[in-house]
Amino acid sequence: MIFGKVARILADILDLDFELEEEQITLDMALTPEFDMEKIQMVKLVMECEKKFKISIQDEKVHTFHTLGEFVKYIENAVSENEGNIAESSEEERMWWHYS
């Protein structure tokens, strides 16, 4: 699910027709200049994914992603943590409301 959304964002950034280029956008795809992935495009990918998934991607982590799979895995973990934090804060809010 997350991979598909990231792949569509990446296809838009690289100006690819997602339906025609789907076989090129894989988890093993290198996020390097060899695949025409310029630094500005990586920045756009990060920004779009942050908005789409409502997460924050640490700047120092961006340089560690060598493949799309590594990037997707990071997003999956961040989304899971974010969902856990929302559930915890909701519980805290309910407890505060109950005891106030």
Side-chain angles (χ1 to χ4, degrees):
M1 183 170 124
I2 289 178
F3 170 71
K5 292 176 183 179
V6 173
R8 287 194 183 275
I9 292 169
L10 184 58
D12 287 343
I13 291 170
L14 296 177
D15 199 28
L16 300 172
D17 182 348
F18 180 73
E19 311 309 334
L20 296 176
E21 304 293 338
E22 191 171 358
E23 67 276 355
Q24 285 186 349
I25 301 175
T26 66
L27 290 172
D28 295 332
M29 186 185 108
L31 298 176
T32 61
E34 290 81 42
F35 190 74
D36 297 328
M37 189 72 175
E38 309 267 335
K39 287 182 182 181
I40 190 71
Q41 291 168 319
M42 188 64 187
V43 170
K44 287 179 183 179
L45 177 62
V46 168
M47 290 173 60
E48 289 299 316
C49 287
E50 286 179 326
K51 283 193 296 188
K52 179 77 173 175
F53 300 107
K54 296 176 178 65
I55 60 169
S56 180
I57 299 172
Q58 300 169 357
D59 291 341
E60 53 275 359
K61 283 288 193 183
V62 173
H63 304 290
T64 67
F65 305 128
H66 300 291
T67 65
L68 186 58
E70 293 172 355
F71 185 65
V72 168
K73 183 70 173 170
Y74 180 88
I75 292 173
E76 289 171 344
N77 291 337
V79 167
S80 292
E81 287 177 17
N82 196 20
E83 288 172 352
N85 290 339
I86 290 171
E88 288 174 17
S89 66
S90 297
E91 178 66 22
E92 290 172 11
E93 290 173 3
R94 286 194 299 267
M95 295 300 286
W96 177 82
W97 179 259
H98 180 70
Y99 291 109
S100 292

